[in-house]
Amino acid sequence: MVQPDNQRLSVRRQCDLFQLCRSGYYYEPAPTSREDLALMRRIDRLWTRRPFFGSRQVTLALRNKGLVVNRKHVQRLMRVMGLEAMVPGPHTSQPHPEHPVYPYLLRNLSVTRPDQVWCADITYIQLSQGFSYLVAVMDWWSRAVLSWRLSNSLSEEFCLEALDEALRHHGSPEIFNTDQGSQFTADGWIARLRSAGIHVSMDGRGRCLDNVFVERLWRSLKYEEVFPGDYEGVAAARSGIDRWFSFYNFERPHRAHGGTPPMLMYRRQLGRFAA
């Protein structure tokens, strides 16, 4: 956004125009310590196996394994990771206070065909020297992953890139369902959906089953690829995740449709056959 080598506008003037604080522009966040990265790895594995655990249960489980941990420390790391208990309670995710929240449209809806409902979600990806975030767009009926993006921050932009790719290559669904995270309630995301004539649906607060198919995808991805992969950096993570999604879409048997891989089922029903 700010261009330090701009010959016409100083950094101060650019910050004024963008309504940015100059101290915020020059600020560089402190890197996450090795100890915290190791603890985040333990938390990620534990939470992926027990997604109904909140910070209290995670802290107790870690203590039972011999770790000396403070609940407030665990809470802070779980916020950084975007993890929370998938049950109703005081710590369920909150939408941005200025963003609208839309009703959940899938209750009692029979999903019988591809492109009837799409969904999206974000998960935390552990790296050996840090972490990143992964967003994926999935067709609800076939469970096919239509697009995905990896980012080092929880910005809106990488979610929009994944959405644009899915719309560009696969058309548009009738309904798009997400949680109430700020990336999915932001003006840019909502505008993309509404301009394509898509009905917006959002999970109810604390309802872990409203987007259950993406949660199952994350569990399979992490146990089959991310945890064994032990990625050195973002490039290695992107390569490994790309291979796994290709395997998942075209080779991995899925019980939802008698063992047919998700993308093959998606294309078969739409009459799209790839070589």
Side-chain angles (χ1 to χ4, degrees):
M1 185 181 293
V2 175
Q3 301 175 350
D5 56 349
N6 191 302
Q7 301 298 316
R8 299 179 60 187
L9 297 173
S10 66
V11 169
R12 172 182 291 186
R13 180 55 179 158
Q14 292 181 68
C15 287
D16 288 342
L17 291 173
F18 288 119
Q19 297 183 333
L20 297 175
C21 175
R22 274 194 300 153
S23 62
Y25 167 71
Y26 288 113
Y27 171 75
E28 294 185 5
T32 305
S33 68
R34 288 182 178 272
E35 293 76 13
D36 276 356
L37 288 174
L39 182 55
M40 291 163 78
R41 184 184 297 272
R42 298 288 292 269
I43 292 171
D44 189 28
R45 287 177 178 269
L46 177 60
W47 187 89
T48 301
R49 189 169 64 252
R50 300 285 187 266
F52 46 85
F53 273 16
S55 61
R56 188 187 307 275
Q57 292 94 334
V58 169
T59 302
L60 293 174
L62 292 172
R63 288 175 180 172
N64 288 339
K65 294 181 180 294
L67 277 71
V68 179
V69 289
N70 178 282
R71 186 188 172 197
K72 289 187 176 180
H73 190 193
V74 171
Q75 284 179 315
R76 181 178 66 80
L77 294 181
M78 289 183 69
R79 282 196 296 270
V80 170
M81 299 162 73
L83 303 182
E84 58 195 13
M86 295 170 58
V87 295
H91 301 297
T92 53
S93 61
Q94 298 284 341
H96 190 286
E98 298 179 2
H99 294 173
V101 175
Y102 290 77
Y104 183 66
L105 303 180
L106 306 188
R107 190 168 292 109
N108 301 321
L109 176 69
S110 179
V111 181
T112 59
R113 59 190 181 279
D115 293 343
Q116 183 180 356
V117 178
W118 289 1
C119 54
D121 195 20
I122 300 171
T123 194
Y124 162 92
I125 300 295
Q126 177 79 53
L127 310 174
S128 63
Q129 300 299 323
F131 51 88
S132 58
Y133 299 96
L134 172 68
V135 64
V137 175
M138 171 188 277
D139 176 67
W140 188 280
W141 178 81
S142 66
R143 320 289 201 267
V145 174
L146 306 179
S147 65
W148 60 277
R149 283 293 187 279
L150 199 62
S151 173
N152 60 4
S153 69
L154 280 170
S155 66
E156 180 188 0
E157 285 71 21
F158 83 116
C159 296
L160 290 175
E161 289 178 6
L163 174 60
D164 288 341
E165 180 181 330
L167 294 174
R168 184 167 60 251
H169 292 292
H170 302 285
S172 60
E174 299 171 19
I175 298 172
F176 205 119
N177 187 75
T178 65
D179 62 24
Q180 297 180 21
S182 61
Q183 297 83 3
F184 303 129
T185 59
D187 292 342
W189 179 273
I190 298 299
R192 292 284 209 290
L193 299 183
R194 294 177 71 89
S195 65
I198 301 169
H199 297 290
V200 181
S201 172
M202 293 182 181
D203 299 347
R205 286 184 55 195
R207 290 185 55 87
C208 63
L209 297 180
D210 285 354
N211 220 5
V212 64
F213 298 134
V214 185
E215 297 297 340
R216 290 176 181 172
L217 173 74
W218 294 152
R219 179 182 175 89
S220 298
L221 168 67
K222 290 196 174 184
Y223 276 102
E224 296 178 15
E225 171 58 34
V226 176
F227 294 155
D230 195 21
Y231 306 130
E232 286 293 325
V234 174
R238 184 173 290 111
S239 177
I241 291 170
D242 182 57
R243 287 193 304 271
W244 190 86
F245 275 145
S246 179
F247 162 72
Y248 168 86
N249 270 338
F250 295 100
E251 298 180 51
R252 189 180 188 274
H254 203 295
R255 288 182 295 176
H257 298 291
T260 302
M263 186 59 77
L264 298 184
M265 197 69 192
Y266 176 82
R267 292 180 172 179
R268 177 182 300 171
Q269 290 300 111
L270 294 174
R272 302 171 186 171
F273 297 96

